[in-house]
Amino acid sequence: MARHAPPPRTRPDAAVRKGDRKVKSIRKSKSTVATDKRAAAVFRAPARRRRLWDRFGWYDVAVPAPFTSTRQAEALNTALVATHPPLSGPLLGVNVQTGQPETCDPHELYAQRRIGSPNVVILGGVAMGKSTLTKLQYVVRAIALGRQVVVFDRKVQQGKGEYHRAAQVCGGTVLPFSRRGGCTVNILDPRISTTSYQDSEGEDVVGQDELLEMVATQAHGALSSDERAALRAAHRKALREAAAAGRVAVLRDVVDALYEPDESAIPREHLSASGWVTVRDVFEWGRRLAQDLERYLEGDLSGLIDGETQGPDGKPLDLSAPLIVVDTSRLPEESPALSLVMAIMASYLASVWSMTVGQRLIIIEEGYHAARLPSVAAVFRALAKRGRGIGLSVVTVFHHISDVPVDSDMMSMIREAEIIHVFRQDKSTDAEAVINLFNFPAWVRPHLALLDQGVHIAKIGTEPPKLVNGVRTPLEEWITDTDAAMLGQEQGGELFAASAQSDELEDVLDVVDVAPVDPIPATV
């Protein structure tokens, strides 16, 4: 039986003749199958909507995304926008880059370990907003948190100090210093330590001896060894005789002791016994110094430091007020009394504060005045270094870095501060000095010369600097207004209604449990 041969093998795509028709078998690719499935799905019945997906908007029509740029989309950076900055005191302003509120208070920042030094530096050109920031952030708002503030007010506003309005609102005490009818601060006040020493933390405490030598150096020039010995002996005699008389020693007692030394003024007993040094010699050592110190008793500097510490009314100074304004605006610009009063008052306050617990701030307006006398700058630096021990933050206000000598103690204070506020710096040299001194990043450079009024760069500790736009309430605008003289207006002619001020001040003081002060009277 014959065997039939198997049909020939052909490819699937080969053409096979069957009768008169030609059939072509084609293998469909995967893409073709997928296309067919999608086409079939068009005619399929719609799927049931799921409620959970509907709740989350799964079936909503998508909105086309708009076109934007990197600069416009900065706010989409979740690392900045989604982060809430920690609260650290009253409102400082609004971050220009993120729109978030920025807060700042030296004592709160120190408690949060964000800074190691509570001292503050504020720099900026004229009318850029540095005084406004100082009055609000470190005076009015600080007092609302229970701080005590002392301001060395240098500027004149229609015959009064610039902080007169702040003192009205906060229930402060104004201590005017002038040759006639002003306050007097005693360089030998018993609340100031007789001699300088180092406290338990190793910080220098300025005493009567250092202040007395500072005054003598300003009046006489650099002291020789003999003059220092005569001054120390006169200081001891003045204290001894005043105590025997039951009163407080003053500068006049020191001058009298220089004119009339006794045997106790001779440095060593054997020098007196041998006759090598006599009372006549000690008199010659201090005669010219006594003559120069007469300037503070009878000359152009009298009435400031030559009596017991007292106010204009002859009563002891009231240091219990939440705001103490040391008004030196009536002292001549170039007078050495200006810097001396600042240094002596700072030492006096530090001595008083060392006996009680509290959180305080000292504000040095126009800080370049303190930088003029090296000994005065040294007093303030010693006070700033000692600040942590007495709960003190020192706020120094300058126009430019160039106002301060590079090698001065005041420049050291600026370097050691960890809270920095910099307003517009018009000159490129000043801007470059700020960037180098505070180690600002490169992006700050083009902004320094273009900052608007009220906008500044804030740097806290080692944190990156921020652009901050200050904010004010209507009451705060009134407190910081310094345009009355230029606009021909009376300084007290625009006082708010007493009720409006009281309501707004109570809102400010609601931050902590602080009783509001009496409202400002309708007339001044």
Side-chain angles (χ1 to χ4, degrees):
M1 189 173 180
R3 299 177 63 182
H4 296 283
R9 295 183 179 182
T10 59
R11 296 180 180 178
D13 57 347
V16 180
R17 185 175 297 276
K18 188 174 182 180
D20 294 333
R21 293 181 301 171
K22 185 177 181 181
V23 179
K24 186 175 182 181
S25 177
I26 303 175
R27 175 185 292 177
K28 294 183 178 181
S29 64
K30 292 182 179 181
S31 60
T32 305
V33 173
T35 303
D36 293 343
K37 289 183 178 180
R38 286 196 297 269
V42 175
F43 302 100
R44 188 181 304 165
R48 181 173 59 86
R49 292 171 70 102
R50 299 179 181 273
R51 291 184 180 180
L52 182 61
W53 291 9
D54 206 359
R55 184 180 302 173
F56 289 100
W58 182 266
Y59 301 106
D60 294 346
V61 179
V63 179
F67 288 100
T68 184
S69 65
T70 304
R71 185 172 185 82
Q72 292 173 334
E74 286 180 346
L76 300 179
N77 189 339
T78 56
L80 295 176
V81 178
T83 302
H84 296 280
L87 295 178
S88 53
L91 180 66
L92 174 65
V94 178
N95 191 312
V96 175
Q97 297 166 312
T98 66
Q100 295 280 6
E102 295 291 343
T103 56
C104 179
D105 176 74
H107 298 89
E108 289 292 330
L109 290 170
Y110 185 82
Q112 295 173 2
R113 302 300 181 187
R114 294 170 62 187
I115 58 173
S117 169
N119 300 320
V120 184
V121 169
I122 302 175
L123 293 167
V126 178
M128 287 296 102
K130 62 182 184 300
S131 292
T132 295
L133 172 68
T134 306
K135 293 173 188 173
L136 299 184
Q137 197 67 23
Y138 296 106
V139 178
V140 177
R141 297 170 186 171
I143 290 173
L145 291 180
R147 318 286 190 246
Q148 186 180 28
V149 182
V150 175
V151 180
F152 288 95
D153 188 5
R154 181 66 197 125
K155 299 178 182 178
V156 182
Q157 290 292 326
Q158 296 184 336
K160 300 178 181 179
E162 190 176 1
Y163 283 78
H164 180 74
R165 290 185 176 183
Q168 281 185 292
V169 172
C170 299
T173 298
V174 179
L175 305 178
F177 278 85
S178 62
R179 286 192 58 196
R180 294 176 179 84
C183 297
T184 303
V185 56
N186 185 11
I187 199 172
L188 304 181
D189 193 285
R191 281 176 280 194
I192 302 177
S193 172
T194 304
T195 58
S196 301
Y197 65 95
Q198 287 189 336
D199 61 13
S200 57
E201 296 184 359
E203 303 295 349
D204 295 331
V205 177
V206 178
Q208 295 177 9
D209 55 345
E210 187 172 343
L211 293 175
L212 187 60
E213 184 172 338
M214 178 182 64
V215 171
T217 301
Q218 176 58 36
H220 178 71
L223 303 183
S224 65
S225 300
D226 292 340
E227 290 168 339
R228 284 195 180 89
L231 183 63
R232 289 194 296 268
H235 182 201
R236 293 192 298 268
K237 182 181 179 183
L239 296 176
R240 185 171 62 249
E241 293 186 349
R247 60 178 179 83
V248 175
V250 294
L251 182 61
R252 184 177 293 276
D253 295 324
V254 176
V255 176
D256 292 343
L258 286 171
Y259 282 130
E260 301 174 2
D262 54 18
E263 290 289 337
S264 64
I266 300 177
R268 293 287 187 273
E269 291 184 4
H270 72 278
L271 296 178
S272 175
S274 62
W276 292 349
V277 177
T278 64
V279 174
R280 175 74 181 184
D281 294 330
V282 177
F283 167 74
E284 290 297 334
W285 293 350
R287 179 174 59 85
R288 291 182 177 82
L289 175 59
Q291 292 171 343
D292 291 333
L293 286 174
E294 290 278 4
R295 181 182 180 187
Y296 294 100
L297 306 181
E298 306 294 343
D300 59 323
L301 298 179
S302 61
L304 298 173
I305 61 174
D306 58 336
E308 293 190 35
T309 303
Q310 60 185 12
D313 55 359
K315 298 180 180 179
L317 297 182
D318 179 14
L319 302 180
S320 62
L323 173 60
I324 300 172
V325 180
V326 182
D327 185 359
T328 60
S329 60
R330 299 179 185 178
L331 298 179
E333 183 76 17
E334 301 298 329
S335 172
L338 176 60
S339 300
L340 292 176
V341 166
M342 293 170 64
I344 297 171
M345 275 300 298
S347 300
Y348 174 77
L349 290 167
S351 299
V352 173
W353 286 340
S354 65
M355 305 174 187
T356 58
V357 177
Q359 294 176 317
R360 296 106 174 180
L361 294 95
I362 280 186
I363 298 174
I364 309 172
E365 277 277 9
E366 307 294 340
Y368 58 86
H369 288 294
R372 289 178 177 174
L373 299 179
S375 55
V376 175
V379 170
F380 276 108
R381 189 190 179 193
L383 182 63
K385 293 177 66 177
R386 189 187 172 201
R388 293 184 301 173
I390 57 177
L392 176 65
S393 170
V394 179
V395 181
T396 314
V397 185
F398 298 93
H399 286 289
H400 310 287
I401 292 292
S402 56
D403 295 338
V404 185
V406 177
D407 57 347
S408 69
D409 285 292
M410 194 60 67
M411 180 60 75
S412 299
M413 279 182 58
I414 296 176
R415 294 192 184 99
E416 294 164 359
E418 292 196 26
I419 302 177
I420 313 297
H421 304 279
V422 181
F423 290 82
R424 190 166 75 197
Q425 300 287 311
D426 295 317
K427 295 182 179 180
S428 59
T429 53
D430 292 327
E432 201 65 30
V434 167
I435 292 173
N436 294 333
L437 182 62
F438 300 123
N439 197 25
F440 282 161
W443 69 265
V444 174
R445 183 175 282 102
H447 287 279
L448 277 179
L450 302 174
L451 292 174
D452 292 331
Q453 186 181 39
V455 180
H456 73 282
I457 296 173
K459 187 176 187 298
I460 297 174
T462 58
E463 300 174 6
K466 305 169 185 176
L467 273 174
V468 179
N469 187 12
V471 293
R472 294 183 293 175
T473 66
L475 174 60
E476 291 174 338
E477 290 179 0
W478 179 83
I479 293 173
T480 58
D481 178 26
T482 57
D483 295 330
M486 289 297 296
L487 298 178
Q489 300 171 346
E490 293 291 336
Q491 189 177 22
E494 302 174 0
L495 289 179
F496 285 176
S499 59
Q501 287 190 14
S502 179
D503 292 342
E504 186 172 344
L505 187 59
E506 287 179 1
D507 291 341
V508 174
L509 297 180
D510 277 344
V511 178
V512 291
D513 187 16
V514 178
V517 298
D518 294 335
I520 300 176
T523 59
V524 175

